[in-house]
Amino acid sequence: GIEKPGRTSAAKTVRLDDLKAWNDVSPVYKDYRGDVMHRYCSGAFNITYSNNTGRNDIVEARVARDKKNVYFYVRTDSLLSSRSDKNWMVLFVDMDRDKATGWEGYDFAINRKVSSDGYVSVEKGEGSDWNWKNAGRAKVVVYDKVIVISVPRELLGSKGKKLDFEFKWSDNMQEEGNPMDFYVNGDVAPSARFNYVYSE
């Protein structure tokens, strides 16, 4: 029920301060627009269901690479909320595509810790639980609706290797360590338990 993804574009070095550099990067990973609406509804037996965790509506993601770095691009439908918000625009990466390694298969969590000096945290998962250990930092530039991150291949264990990984963007997770939270709170791209796949 979705479009076939475009071909992976050739390797290129991306300057983080040049958004036009992303115009010819493919594939373009899309996500539903308008799925961060706050919910408030009366139920049976005087129960009221409410959820106002929707915050940043993720609509598009891209990936580029060169010999030294992997570059991640994500765009939201409206202006991004403050970087100081909790669980703000976290990128989960499953580098080995093995669900037996890392939390729910995700080997890395990028931007899970707040930083304001032009860098974001890169953490590596230890074991299968929600247990993250600092692995280093990655450069970041935040625009009104776009985030661009440059992660050294060495940090991801992909130096000199062809890339074949899965990834997922998550904003405003409420119950850390519970993958079912992806269905309920904030926004994720792609939806639910799905991942995007990037392969050379």
Side-chain angles (χ1 to χ4, degrees):
I2 62 173
E3 296 177 5
K4 184 178 179 180
R7 295 181 63 182
T8 303
S9 54
K12 67 180 294 184
T13 299
V14 176
R15 284 179 45 190
L16 300 191
D17 61 353
D18 181 14
L19 283 181
K20 291 182 180 179
W22 290 93
N23 290 347
D24 62 351
V25 172
S26 62
V28 178
Y29 303 93
K30 297 180 180 180
D31 187 54
Y32 296 110
R33 176 180 275 106
D35 55 355
V36 293
M37 292 177 61
H38 292 184
R39 302 184 289 271
Y40 187 87
C41 184
S42 297
F45 307 109
N46 296 318
I47 296 174
T48 299
Y49 298 94
S50 65
N51 188 307
N52 59 2
T53 60
R55 189 170 61 187
N56 295 304
D57 190 359
I58 304 165
V59 294
E60 181 183 308
R62 304 188 190 208
V63 178
R65 87 278 181 193
D66 59 21
K67 290 183 179 180
K68 292 184 178 180
N69 303 293
V70 181
Y71 306 94
F72 294 93
Y73 166 107
V74 65
R75 181 170 63 85
T76 55
D77 192 40
S78 301
L79 297 179
L80 285 158
S81 64
S82 171
R83 287 184 66 183
S84 62
D85 289 344
K86 187 177 180 182
N87 295 323
W88 184 81
M89 299 298 290
V90 179
L91 173 62
F92 294 104
V93 183
D94 180 357
M95 283 306 297
D96 58 10
R97 302 190 69 184
D98 182 356
K99 298 303 178 190
T101 63
W103 174 72
E104 298 298 320
Y106 299 114
D107 305 295
F108 294 92
I110 299 170
N111 195 38
R112 200 176 67 89
K113 292 185 177 178
V114 175
S115 178
S116 59
D117 58 356
Y119 289 87
V120 294
S121 62
V122 178
E123 297 172 289
K124 185 172 175 55
E126 291 194 331
S128 59
D129 295 328
W130 184 265
N131 186 20
W132 303 99
K133 181 179 180 181
N134 181 56
R137 301 194 306 171
K139 292 181 181 179
V140 65
V141 173
V142 179
Y143 297 87
D144 289 343
K145 299 181 181 181
V146 172
I147 303 170
V148 183
I149 300 174
S150 172
V151 187
R153 278 179 174 259
E154 192 169 4
L155 282 185
L156 299 175
S158 63
K159 188 175 181 179
K161 301 177 182 178
K162 285 199 172 185
L163 297 174
D164 183 23
F165 64 85
E166 301 178 20
F167 69 100
K168 182 183 202 72
W169 284 95
S170 168
D171 181 64
N172 211 15
M173 173 181 271
Q174 298 296 298
E175 194 175 344
E176 293 181 336
N178 181 4
M180 299 306 289
D181 190 273
F182 290 151
Y183 288 90
V184 181
N185 297 306
D187 192 25
V188 291
S191 298
R193 299 291 297 275
F194 296 106
N195 291 330
Y196 295 128
V197 176
Y198 182 80
S199 178
E200 291 186 78

